[in-house]
Amino acid sequence: MAIVKVAINGYGTIGKRVADAVDAQDDMEVVGVTKTGPSFGCEMAVRKNFDIYCTSDDPEMIRTFDSSPFDCRGGLRDLLAISDVVIDCSPGKMGKENLEKYVEAGIKSIFQGGEKHSLTGLSYTSCANHSENFGAESTRVVSCNTTGLSRTLVPLYEHCGSLKVECTMIRRAADPGDSKKGPINAIKPVLKVPSHHGPDVMTVKPEIEINSLAVAVPTTIMHLHAIIADLPEGHGLSTESIIEMWKETPRVIVMNGEGNRITTTAEVMEMARDIGRKWGDLHEIFVWEDGVRLVGNRLYYFQAIHQESDVIPENIDCIRALMEIEENWENSVKKTDEAIARYYNI
Ligand code: NAD
């Protein structure tokens, strides 16, 4: 089996994590990562033995590396020429321009949630539509919020056959390493209602009827979702059986909040740091067991999302879908997660 050659375009919050996750697998390898210019992020690429390329093909931008300790192998075009697939981890809204470059290079591409579904006409979440993406040329791994919603709603939908959902996304204002965003002392509602977050689930599972509201709050570590889902008559589920279902669901952690004294996102992230993945990442969606309650046909629950990392393993499964390596999503998830656990010795 040929090893898939993966380019990472944009070695920032998502890009550096995806690079490590690719490096952890035995059926793919990182052939290079891009940086706009020499910066502290290059240090890590060097330590990991990832070749560095410039995000641009402009010789002047490439030359900015000359006076730095970092060896730049060339521009984006040079990297794409030796790759089978590129993971676009550039800041959102650069997709259109970048897609043209990937098409020109004749390689497959995976975008992130900052881009619109319309860019590729296809989106991806491991549990929702792996097979729909099998062999595709280009797709988009949905955002951290949409990935989180899919992880708990898709298994519910698969059981019930229909689902109507209303949810509120309580969003972190900025990532921990981001000094430009806010608010730092306010709660900021998204006034375009419903917000795009919930309906985005329908790009991977159109059968789930879902709407959302969103607010940003002054925290950097997680998003929290407050979810109300209406199940159809005759669903045959109870609060306990839903909890059991999620305990069996890959990349979902269900824990009793009061019993484990893990009642806020701060403790959830402290537990994530204890697990031992780099950057204290939590790839799993965290559901508070004691915050789940089915009343008649209406289900209430809370879940927390580590925004910087839940989409990372999805990118790996997505490579396997596009490159037609593994048709079964559950097999891919198992392979991805076991390899990442071995990589970090956990
Ligand atoms: P980031 O700003 O941390 O990293 C982006 C990187 O791309 C930076 O290193 C930047 O230097 C580089 N870059 C700048 N111009 C570029 C160009 N022209 N071509 C390639 N790279 C360029 O951003 P991020 O948080 O990693 O977000 C990347 C994508 O992932 C966005 O679509 C975002 O919406 C999505 N996403 C982010 C999060 C999150 O919480 N950070 C979660 C899920 C999805």
Side-chain angles (χ1 to χ4, degrees), residues 95-116:
K96 189 170 175 297
E97 193 185 325
N98 285 350
L99 180 57
E100 284 167 12
K101 296 177 188 167
Y102 307 152
V103 171
E104 193 186 318
I107 65 168
K108 301 200 178 205
S109 52
I110 297 172
F111 291 86
Q112 307 303 312
E115 304 299 335
K116 289 209 166 86

Side-chain angles (χ1 to χ4, degrees), residues 103-215:
V103 171
E104 193 186 318
I107 65 168
K108 301 200 178 205
S109 52
I110 297 172
F111 291 86
Q112 307 303 312
E115 304 299 335
K116 289 209 166 86
H117 174 76
S118 56
L119 176 70
T120 58
L122 193 60
S123 291
Y124 179 89
T125 300
S126 308
C127 68
N129 66 344
H130 184 83
S131 53
E132 195 190 334
N133 280 269
F134 202 70
E137 284 303 310
S138 186
T139 192
R140 171 190 74 130
V141 169
V142 290
S143 73
C144 49
N145 280 306
T146 310
T147 298
L149 288 168
S150 301
R151 293 248 183 96
T152 49
L153 290 174
V154 169
L156 259 184
Y157 169 80
E158 303 288 354
H159 178 92
C160 295
S162 77
L163 209 54
K164 282 190 185 167
V165 183
E166 300 289 344
C167 50
T168 302
M169 324 267 91
I170 300 150
R171 301 172 55 232
R172 62 89 180 93
D175 286 339
D178 184 352
S179 59
K180 296 192 188 76
K181 291 187 190 153
I184 57 165
N185 184 26
I187 298 173
K188 186 178 179 195
V190 174
L191 297 176
K192 187 179 170 296
V193 293
S195 79
H196 71 274
H197 307 88
D200 200 38
V201 171
M202 292 188 276
T203 64
V204 290
K205 202 72 184 168
E207 299 90 343
I208 296 177
E209 288 179 58
I210 175 165
N211 270 311
S212 61
L213 295 171
V215 296

Side-chain angles (χ1 to χ4, degrees), residues 213-234:
L213 295 171
V215 296
V217 297
T219 180
T220 61
I221 50 178
M222 289 192 110
H223 300 307
L224 189 133
H225 296 169
I227 301 172
I228 299 176
D230 285 325
L231 315 188
E233 286 296 336

Side-chain angles (χ1 to χ4, degrees), residues 17 24 53 68 77 108 199 212-213 215 273 302 317 328:
R17 289 172 163 84
Y53 290 79
S68 81
R77 204 178 292 127
K108 301 200 178 205
S212 61
L213 295 171
V215 296
R273 286 188 279 270
F302 295 106
D317 301 331
N328 178 299

Side-chain angles (χ1 to χ4, degrees), residues 9-14 36 55 89-92 94 112 114 172 175 307:
N9 189 21
Y11 193 61
T13 307
I14 298 296
T36 51
T55 51
C89 301
S90 63
M94 306 191 87
Q112 307 303 312
R172 62 89 180 93
D175 286 339
Q307 77 279 353

